[in-house]
Amino acid sequence: MGKVGQMVMVPGFWLIRCFDKRQCNVLMNKPRIVSVKKDEWFDLVTAEVTAAVRESVESNDGCSLMLTGGNTAKGLYDCWASAGILANFSIRYYFGDERCVPPGHPESNHGMTMQSLFGAGLPDQCQLFRMEGESSNVSEAARRYQKVLPDRIDVLLLSVGEDGHIASLFPNHPALFESSRKVLAIVGPKPPYERLTIASRVIVSAKTVFVFARGRRKGAVLAEALKDPADVSSLPVRLTVDGTWIMDHEAVSGFKAVMEGNAARL
């Protein structure tokens, strides 16, 4: 285990903050929360994800890894590409959501991933399955993508929004309660409005789930999510309470402020 720096307590939760580049642990049940100093955040995420991928590969001769989008993901993928992280694993890559734009569009998660993580090309032993966001029939595109998904995703990466959304599952959206389909065509609350997204059932069935939170407001929304974990409608990130939440120091600050405020009102 990595050298442990400061142990931080918020009401009901212990966080162990790790100050080197190795994996650190936490003393709590659900969710598992890990934090690290800002300048070592990418190293910690890399260690966590790599360990999960390696375990899956060693157990199953391969890994299904579902990617997330956004600026945090792009920075992470840039780091992985430059260091050759994951390049030697047999991985089937999937996407958790996509904007309904052409793959070369600046808003395309697939386009961003190809420019960052796979700028030098997709490794020979890997496969990548993209969502066809540019399709003229997005409902049919959702059905096609559902057919290529495995029964369970081995490792699922998600970024949380300041409103608590994950993938393209937004607060109070009817898509949250879809029980039969795995992939949905939805109209979201912000542009690009038309999107494809995995359904809730894909998230809750995934073997390992990582949620990335950077910044005070995202840490605060994770703390809010712990108030009433069953209320998925108002904060979809509650679907991940059985997973691992990885926060930078600013997110931890926001998380602690909300938790301490909650305790003071009791």
Side-chain angles (χ1 to χ4, degrees), residues 147-208:
K147 292 179 180 179
V148 304
L149 290 182
D151 291 337
R152 296 180 68 190
I153 294 295
D154 293 320
V155 181
L156 172 57
L157 310 183
L158 293 167
S159 300
V160 62
E162 292 179 356
D163 61 354
H165 85 268
I166 48 175
S168 281
L169 294 173
F170 293 93
N172 303 309
H173 197 288
L176 285 164
F177 305 104
E178 169 60 46
S179 60
S180 60
R181 291 174 291 171
K182 290 184 176 182
V183 184
L184 310 170
I186 65 113
V187 177
K190 63 180 185 179
Y193 296 104
E194 289 190 289
R195 297 165 180 246
L196 296 170
T197 184
I198 54 171
S200 301
R201 59 182 293 193
V202 176
I203 297 170
V204 298
S205 69
K207 296 176 184 177
T208 302

XYZ file of all heavy atoms in Angstrom, residues 147-208:
475
model
N -26.994 -4.449 -29.041
C -26.673 -5.811 -29.460
C -25.191 -6.156 -29.307
O -24.842 -7.330 -29.181
C -27.106 -6.023 -30.914
C -28.626 -6.023 -31.100
C -28.996 -6.208 -32.563
C -30.509 -6.201 -32.761
N -30.886 -6.355 -34.190
N -24.318 -5.146 -29.328
C -22.885 -5.441 -29.233
C -22.380 -5.401 -27.795
O -21.249 -5.807 -27.522
C -22.043 -4.477 -30.109
C -22.503 -4.531 -31.548
C -22.063 -3.053 -29.575
N -23.201 -4.911 -26.867
C -22.765 -4.848 -25.475
C -22.715 -6.240 -24.853
O -23.579 -7.073 -25.120
C -23.711 -3.966 -24.653
C -23.691 -2.464 -24.917
C -24.666 -1.758 -23.973
C -22.296 -1.890 -24.766
N -21.745 -6.482 -23.994
C -21.723 -7.747 -23.259
C -22.818 -7.756 -22.195
O -23.441 -6.726 -21.912
C -20.325 -7.746 -22.616
C -19.995 -6.304 -22.461
C -20.605 -5.605 -23.646
N -23.026 -8.911 -21.597
C -24.033 -8.994 -20.538
C -23.698 -8.062 -19.382
O -24.583 -7.428 -18.800
C -24.148 -10.433 -20.023
C -24.763 -11.362 -21.064
O -25.475 -10.858 -21.960
O -24.514 -12.572 -20.988
N -22.408 -8.003 -19.029
C -21.944 -7.103 -17.966
C -20.651 -6.441 -18.405
O -19.791 -7.086 -19.010
C -21.694 -7.862 -16.658
C -22.887 -8.496 -16.017
C -22.472 -9.207 -14.732
N -22.056 -8.276 -13.693
C -21.463 -8.659 -12.555
N -21.204 -9.949 -12.344
N -21.134 -7.775 -11.637
N -20.524 -5.182 -18.096
C -19.273 -4.475 -18.344
C -18.300 -4.790 -17.211
O -18.667 -4.756 -16.028
C -19.521 -2.950 -18.427
C -20.368 -2.610 -19.659
C -18.198 -2.192 -18.454
C -19.704 -2.903 -20.987
N -17.060 -5.089 -17.560
C -16.066 -5.389 -16.527
C -15.654 -4.139 -15.761
O -15.633 -4.130 -14.532
C -14.823 -6.031 -17.154
C -15.103 -7.408 -17.718
O -15.851 -8.178 -17.080
O -14.587 -7.716 -18.814
N -15.286 -3.093 -16.497
C -14.823 -1.846 -15.874
C -15.539 -0.679 -16.539
O -15.436 -0.492 -17.751
C -13.298 -1.671 -16.005
C -12.847 -0.375 -15.323
C -12.563 -2.871 -15.413
N -16.261 0.087 -15.747
C -17.050 1.210 -16.248
C -16.491 2.508 -15.693
O -16.364 2.668 -14.470
C -18.515 1.044 -15.829
C -19.473 2.203 -16.091
C -19.513 2.580 -17.563
C -20.869 1.860 -15.584
N -16.141 3.430 -16.595
C -15.645 4.748 -16.204
C -16.751 5.774 -16.398
O -17.388 5.819 -17.450
C -14.429 5.146 -17.056
C -13.297 4.123 -17.178
C -12.152 4.716 -18.001
C -12.809 3.674 -15.811
N -16.959 6.616 -15.395
C -17.982 7.650 -15.465
C -17.440 8.953 -14.892
O -16.686 8.941 -13.915
C -19.228 7.247 -14.668
C -20.040 6.063 -15.188
C -21.032 5.610 -14.121
C -20.767 6.421 -16.478
N -17.832 10.053 -15.494
C -17.580 11.373 -14.921
C -18.911 11.894 -14.401
O -19.953 11.675 -15.014
C -17.025 12.326 -15.986
O -15.810 11.841 -16.526
N -18.878 12.576 -13.271
C -20.107 13.132 -12.719
C -20.207 14.614 -13.071
O -19.213 15.340 -13.023
C -20.178 12.935 -11.185
C -19.038 13.647 -10.474
C -21.522 13.394 -10.648
N -21.387 15.061 -13.440
C -21.614 16.467 -13.705
C -21.993 17.208 -12.438
O -22.343 16.604 -11.420
N -21.941 18.526 -12.481
C -22.284 19.322 -11.309
C -23.753 19.180 -10.930
O -24.138 19.491 -9.802
C -21.939 20.792 -11.564
C -20.433 21.026 -11.664
C -20.073 22.471 -11.933
O -21.005 23.293 -12.116
O -18.874 22.784 -11.948
N -24.569 18.697 -11.868
C -25.982 18.440 -11.570
C -26.225 16.994 -11.147
O -27.366 16.587 -10.925
C -26.855 18.769 -12.790
C -26.499 17.921 -14.020
O -25.501 17.156 -13.962
O -27.214 18.025 -15.036
N -25.143 16.211 -11.034
C -25.269 14.817 -10.620
C -25.535 13.845 -11.745
O -25.782 12.666 -11.492
N -25.441 14.295 -13.005
C -25.688 13.357 -14.106
C -24.461 12.499 -14.364
O -23.327 12.896 -14.065
C -26.128 14.095 -15.377
C -25.015 14.617 -16.223
N -24.496 15.900 -16.102
C -24.308 14.037 -17.228
C -23.536 16.076 -16.989
N -23.392 14.958 -17.676
N -24.684 11.316 -14.895
C -23.621 10.413 -15.325
C -24.021 9.868 -16.689
O -25.202 9.722 -16.988
C -23.386 9.261 -14.332
C -24.713 8.605 -13.938
C -22.618 9.734 -13.115
C -24.576 7.386 -13.048
N -23.013 9.550 -17.535
C -23.277 9.234 -18.942
C -24.166 10.362 -19.469
O -23.850 11.538 -19.246
C -23.896 7.851 -19.088
N -25.275 10.053 -20.144
C -26.248 11.101 -20.485
C -27.578 10.807 -19.812
O -28.652 10.940 -20.386
C -26.415 11.219 -22.002
O -25.346 11.940 -22.576
N -27.478 10.405 -18.555
C -28.647 10.198 -17.706
C -28.751 11.408 -16.787
O -27.964 11.564 -15.845
C -28.513 8.908 -16.902
C -28.523 7.617 -17.724
C -28.201 6.420 -16.839
C -29.874 7.426 -18.422
N -29.712 12.274 -17.074
C -29.829 13.553 -16.385
C -30.907 13.504 -15.311
O -31.831 12.675 -15.370
C -30.143 14.656 -17.398
C -29.023 14.930 -18.352
C -28.974 14.293 -19.589
C -28.006 15.813 -18.022
C -27.935 14.532 -20.478
C -26.964 16.055 -18.900
C -26.923 15.417 -20.127
N -30.808 14.395 -14.317
C -31.801 14.405 -13.243
C -33.236 14.519 -13.762
O -33.513 15.280 -14.690
C -31.414 15.648 -12.434
C -29.946 15.794 -12.660
C -29.736 15.393 -14.093
N -34.093 13.711 -13.162
C -35.536 13.729 -13.424
C -35.892 13.404 -14.874
O -36.966 13.765 -15.355
C -36.127 15.089 -13.030
C -35.867 15.425 -11.580
O -36.141 14.623 -10.687
N -35.312 16.609 -11.334
N -35.002 12.699 -15.553
C -35.275 12.310 -16.938
C -35.930 10.928 -16.952
O -35.504 10.026 -16.224
C -33.978 12.276 -17.748
C -34.189 12.298 -19.221
N -34.688 11.220 -19.920
C -33.981 13.281 -20.147
C -34.763 11.535 -21.205
N -34.350 12.778 -21.365
N -36.960 10.735 -17.762
C -37.639 9.430 -17.788
C -36.729 8.273 -18.184
O -37.024 7.109 -17.864
C -38.767 9.629 -18.807
C -38.421 10.875 -19.570
C -37.631 11.725 -18.633
N -35.628 8.552 -18.874
C -34.708 7.484 -19.273
C -34.152 6.732 -18.067
O -33.756 5.569 -18.179
C -33.563 8.063 -20.098
N -34.120 7.385 -16.911
C -33.592 6.741 -15.711
C -34.384 5.500 -15.319
O -33.865 4.616 -14.638
C -33.592 7.736 -14.546
C -32.508 8.809 -14.575
C -32.869 9.937 -13.613
C -31.159 8.204 -14.210
N -35.627 5.440 -15.734
C -36.500 4.364 -15.279
C -36.773 3.325 -16.366
O -37.642 2.479 -16.207
C -37.805 4.971 -14.761
C -37.558 5.995 -13.702
C -37.669 7.344 -13.991
C -37.154 5.620 -12.438
C -37.407 8.300 -13.018
C -36.894 6.559 -11.461
C -37.021 7.909 -11.750
N -35.999 3.394 -17.460
C -36.102 2.375 -18.503
C -35.535 1.061 -17.963
O -34.398 1.000 -17.500
C -35.324 2.809 -19.739
C -35.141 1.733 -20.787
C -36.480 1.213 -21.319
O -37.364 2.041 -21.624
O -36.624 -0.024 -21.428
N -36.338 0.006 -18.022
C -35.926 -1.262 -17.423
C -35.633 -2.366 -18.431
O -35.015 -3.374 -18.077
C -37.009 -1.758 -16.450
O -38.236 -1.948 -17.139
N -36.052 -2.201 -19.673
C -35.893 -3.295 -20.636
C -34.727 -3.096 -21.588
O -34.089 -4.063 -21.994
C -37.183 -3.482 -21.436
O -37.501 -2.300 -22.157
N -34.433 -1.860 -21.947
C -33.364 -1.594 -22.914
C -32.058 -1.223 -22.218
O -32.052 -0.691 -21.121
C -33.781 -0.475 -23.868
C -34.900 -0.858 -24.817
C -35.369 0.338 -25.624
N -36.067 1.317 -24.781
C -36.432 2.523 -25.187
N -36.145 2.924 -26.424
N -37.074 3.343 -24.370
N -30.951 -1.503 -22.902
C -29.628 -1.166 -22.378
C -29.095 0.161 -22.918
O -28.242 0.786 -22.295
C -28.623 -2.266 -22.721
C -28.817 -3.574 -21.981
C -27.698 -4.528 -22.345
C -27.799 -5.821 -21.564
N -26.671 -6.742 -21.896
N -29.552 0.548 -24.088
C -29.083 1.778 -24.734
C -30.303 2.561 -25.203
O -31.241 1.991 -25.767
C -28.148 1.468 -25.925
C -27.598 2.765 -26.523
C -26.999 0.563 -25.482
N -30.251 3.869 -24.989
C -31.409 4.714 -25.270
C -31.019 5.916 -26.110
O -29.905 6.437 -25.993
C -32.012 5.232 -23.957
C -32.299 4.199 -22.871
C -32.640 4.909 -21.571
C -33.422 3.278 -23.298
N -31.938 6.352 -26.937
C -31.824 7.640 -27.617
C -32.620 8.644 -26.797
O -33.806 8.422 -26.528
C -32.373 7.547 -29.037
N -31.970 9.715 -26.360
C -32.653 10.661 -25.477
C -32.455 12.087 -25.973
O -31.579 12.367 -26.798
C -32.155 10.542 -24.022
C -30.673 10.959 -23.899
C -32.324 9.114 -23.515
C -30.442 12.204 -23.119
N -33.272 12.979 -25.461
C -33.094 14.421 -25.651
C -32.755 14.995 -24.282
O -33.553 14.904 -23.343
C -34.360 15.089 -26.230
C -34.144 16.600 -26.344
C -34.691 14.501 -27.592
N -31.568 15.542 -24.151
C -31.103 16.041 -22.870
C -31.393 17.513 -22.661
O -31.904 18.198 -23.555
N -31.007 18.043 -21.503
C -31.307 19.431 -21.162
C -30.272 20.442 -21.649
O -30.459 21.641 -21.466
C -31.347 19.400 -19.631
C -30.366 18.329 -19.272
C -30.489 17.287 -20.353
N -29.168 19.961 -22.220
C -28.155 20.901 -22.692
C -27.589 20.417 -24.023
O -27.602 19.225 -24.314
C -27.042 21.071 -21.658
C -26.243 19.815 -21.351
C -25.167 20.105 -20.317
C -24.265 18.903 -20.083
N -23.202 19.197 -19.103
N -27.093 21.351 -24.833
C -26.589 20.962 -26.159
C -25.279 20.195 -26.057
O -24.515 20.411 -25.107
C -26.406 22.304 -26.867
C -26.248 23.315 -25.774
C -27.063 22.805 -24.624
N -25.042 19.338 -27.058
C -25.982 18.862 -28.082
C -27.116 18.068 -27.430
O -26.854 17.156 -26.646
C -25.120 17.974 -28.978
C -23.694 18.348 -28.674
C -23.702 18.747 -27.241
N -28.339 18.422 -27.738
C -29.484 17.877 -27.022
C -29.728 16.394 -27.307
O -30.031 15.618 -26.402
C -30.742 18.684 -27.360
C -30.657 20.116 -26.897
C -30.410 21.143 -27.804
C -30.801 20.443 -25.551
C -30.327 22.467 -27.376
C -30.715 21.764 -25.115
C -30.477 22.773 -26.027
O -30.372 24.072 -25.604
N -29.602 15.997 -28.577
C -29.842 14.592 -28.924
C -28.614 13.759 -28.577
O -27.487 14.101 -28.959
C -30.172 14.461 -30.405
C -31.531 14.995 -30.783
C -31.896 14.622 -32.205
O -31.282 15.187 -33.126
O -32.775 13.768 -32.391
N -28.855 12.647 -27.872
C -27.748 11.819 -27.401
C -28.137 10.343 -27.393
O -29.321 9.996 -27.362
C -27.347 12.230 -25.971
C -26.828 13.664 -25.865
C -26.811 14.120 -24.420
N -26.310 15.484 -24.319
C -25.176 15.847 -23.731
N -24.407 14.936 -23.179
N -24.805 17.107 -23.685
N -27.122 9.516 -27.360
C -27.276 8.096 -27.068
C -26.639 7.853 -25.709
O -25.584 8.414 -25.400
C -26.591 7.243 -28.133
C -27.160 7.330 -29.552
C -26.240 6.620 -30.539
C -28.553 6.718 -29.600
N -27.267 7.006 -24.905
C -26.714 6.741 -23.582
C -27.027 5.320 -23.134
O -28.039 4.734 -23.535
C -27.282 7.729 -22.539
O -26.649 7.496 -21.269
C -28.795 7.585 -22.377
N -26.153 4.776 -22.322
C -26.473 3.525 -21.661
C -27.594 3.775 -20.662
O -27.772 4.889 -20.167
C -25.254 2.924 -20.936
C -24.633 3.941 -19.967
C -24.240 2.393 -21.929
C -23.563 3.365 -19.062
N -28.363 2.737 -20.384
C -29.443 2.826 -19.400
C -28.907 2.495 -18.007
O -27.794 1.988 -17.838
C -30.575 1.873 -19.780
N -29.725 2.761 -17.019
C -29.334 2.536 -15.626
C -28.895 1.101 -15.377
O -27.962 0.847 -14.601
C -30.498 2.882 -14.697
O -30.904 4.220 -14.849
N -29.543 0.150 -16.033
C -29.255 -1.265 -15.771
C -27.822 -1.629 -16.136
O -27.238 -2.537 -15.526
C -30.242 -2.158 -16.531
C -30.236 -1.974 -18.035
C -31.259 -2.842 -18.741
N -30.929 -4.253 -18.636
C -31.501 -5.203 -19.370
N -32.449 -4.889 -20.241
N -31.141 -6.458 -19.256
N -27.242 -0.948 -17.126
C -25.848 -1.215 -17.497
C -24.913 -0.778 -16.372
O -23.912 -1.440 -16.072
C -25.483 -0.488 -18.808
C -24.017 -0.688 -19.150
C -26.372 -0.999 -19.944
N -25.244 0.331 -15.741
C -24.409 0.863 -14.668
C -24.457 -0.028 -13.436
O -23.424 -0.405 -12.877
C -24.844 2.302 -14.326
C -24.623 3.209 -15.538
C -24.096 2.830 -13.104
C -25.227 4.590 -15.410
N -25.659 -0.380 -13.022
C -25.780 -1.154 -11.775
C -25.297 -2.588 -11.937
O -24.969 -3.248 -10.938
C -27.230 -1.123 -11.244
C -27.648 0.296 -10.918
C -28.205 -1.745 -12.224
N -25.220 -3.087 -13.169
C -24.750 -4.458 -13.373
C -23.253 -4.547 -13.626
O -22.694 -5.654 -13.647
C -25.493 -5.106 -14.548
O -25.115 -4.508 -15.785
N -22.582 -3.414 -13.832
C -21.146 -3.431 -14.119
C -20.376 -4.016 -12.933
O -20.724 -3.797 -11.773
C -20.654 -2.026 -14.423
N -19.317 -4.737 -13.235
C -18.547 -5.392 -12.177
C -17.751 -4.388 -11.349
O -17.687 -4.496 -10.123
C -17.611 -6.437 -12.795
C -18.338 -7.583 -13.478
C -17.378 -8.544 -14.151
C -18.116 -9.634 -14.908
N -17.181 -10.539 -15.622
N -17.131 -3.413 -12.010
C -16.348 -2.388 -11.322
C -16.704 -1.033 -11.913
O -16.676 -0.866 -13.135
C -14.830 -2.629 -11.491
O -14.500 -3.937 -10.980
C -14.027 -1.576 -10.744
